[in-house]
Amino acid sequence: MDMITASRKMVIFTGAGISTESGIPDFRSPGGLWTNNMPIYFDDFVRSAEMRAEAWRRKFAMEDSFANARPSRGHKAVAHLVRIGRASHVVTQNIDNLHQAAGVGDEQMIELHGNGSFAKCLSCDRRHELDWVRSEFERTEESPNCPACGGHVKSATVSFGQSMPEPEMVRAQEAALACDLFIAIGSSLVVYPAAGFPIMAKKNGATLVILNREETELDAIADLVIHDEIGDVMEPLLGLN
Ligand code: NAD
């Protein structure tokens, strides 16, 4: 708490663990939807109509738990720290839109792996809503093409083998280098390049705090490691002003 009060420019970095309390399984949950299937690589999505259809089939199978999810105590506390001006940015690996649902605005939000609450055309970048994709998919049993340009329509997330979004990478780097306190919450810190940001901030002189119920890859370099439940630790921060 003292570290947060003392910080003038804090960056909050989140992973799947902040959303488990919202009912979305993290990457490692045994039997979770994420672990049941081999990932579909970006090149396979582009190359194969069958893979595109399979990607949408999986997406809509998971959609109910995503669509009904509400921000956790962790999301609410993070949004509060942004609102009262303690946190300059929220850098997330998550694609579930729950930081925004808790009230974090576009200026503070940096999504490294995209956003699964809508789709985009891979050719013209036009946004498409999931309801439209779903009705087309259910009607034709094929992944729809963009009505404007005919390109492939894909969930607006970053797939394995797909390049990282350049503007978000630049913004995350700037935020990591400008902060005096970097808090990594609910990430196993094994997915790169995302996990490079806590290292970058620490090397640049920021204090690094890691909050996770289990050990992470970067515990050894952190100034403070809290092995606890995210909601329990973050909830009292809602009282900060
Ligand atoms: P991860 O699954 O590798 O790690 C999650 C970490 O959070 C684990 O170390 C776990 O111990 C911890 N954790 C889970 N619930 C917790 C709780 N209530 N309190 C404290 N700790 C808790 O997740 P990652 O590091 O974000 O990497 C997974 C990748 O998969 C990311 O790239 C992400 O894009 C994607 N993913 C996203 C979502 C989502 O959007 N909600 C969900 C699953 C996976």
Side-chain angles (χ1 to χ4, degrees), residues 116-134:
S117 67
F118 60 96
K120 267 189 176 179
C121 171
L122 290 179
S123 300
C124 71
D125 214 37
R126 195 173 297 245
R127 176 179 168 131
H128 297 287
E129 300 311 320
L130 292 185
D131 284 349
W132 173 78
V133 178
R134 193 169 195 159

Side-chain angles (χ1 to χ4, degrees), residues 13-21 24-29 34 66 92-98 113 158 160 185-191 194 211-216 228-231:
F13 175 92
T14 64
I18 198 167
S19 298
T20 54
E21 199 178 271
I24 299 177
D26 66 16
F27 202 59
R28 278 140 205 280
S29 297
W34 299 78
F66 270 76
T92 192
Q93 301 172 83
N94 296 344
I95 55 155
D96 54 28
N97 205 47
L98 288 176
H113 295 162
V158 177
F160 287 96
I185 302 174
S187 172
S188 52
L189 300 173
V190 292
V191 179
L211 167 57
N212 201 306
R213 60 159 82 115
E214 290 172 1
E215 288 180 5
T216 79
D228 209 337
E229 283 298 306
I230 293 164

Side-chain angles (χ1 to χ4, degrees), residues 58-219:
R58 289 184 195 178
K59 168 80 182 156
F60 294 132
M62 284 200 289
E63 194 45 30
D64 290 343
S65 61
F66 270 76
N68 293 327
R70 296 288 167 264
S72 65
R73 290 177 293 166
H75 292 112
K76 288 177 189 165
V78 168
H80 180 69
L81 293 172
V82 170
R83 204 164 25 242
I84 63 173
R86 301 267 178 189
S88 68
H89 293 90
V90 180
V91 181
T92 192
Q93 301 172 83
N94 296 344
I95 55 155
D96 54 28
N97 205 47
L98 288 176
H99 283 300
Q100 292 93 324
V104 179
D106 289 348
E107 267 180 43
Q108 290 83 25
M109 194 69 235
I110 304 173
E111 292 177 310
L112 296 175
H113 295 162
N115 189 308
S117 67
F118 60 96
K120 267 189 176 179
C121 171
L122 290 179
S123 300
C124 71
D125 214 37
R126 195 173 297 245
R127 176 179 168 131
H128 297 287
E129 300 311 320
L130 292 185
D131 284 349
W132 173 78
V133 178
R134 193 169 195 159
S135 65
E136 286 299 296
F137 181 66
E138 284 172 357
R139 190 172 62 80
T140 63
E141 290 182 23
E142 285 177 7
S143 172
N145 292 326
C146 175
C149 78
H152 298 316
V153 172
K154 181 183 168 295
S155 165
T157 51
V158 177
S159 296
F160 287 96
Q162 187 172 4
S163 49
M164 297 289 286
E166 193 56 31
E168 280 76 8
M169 289 298 285
V170 171
R171 288 178 67 213
Q173 175 165 341
E174 285 170 358
L177 293 177
C179 73
D180 58 10
L181 174 62
F182 190 103
I183 307 186
I185 302 174
S187 172
S188 52
L189 300 173
V190 292
V191 179
Y192 283 81
F197 292 113
I199 299 172
M200 189 186 287
K202 172 72 188 165
K203 278 191 177 155
N204 197 48
T207 302
L208 176 61
V209 177
I210 294 177
L211 167 57
N212 201 306
R213 60 159 82 115
E214 290 172 1
E215 288 180 5
T216 79
E217 286 293 304
L218 300 184
D219 283 4

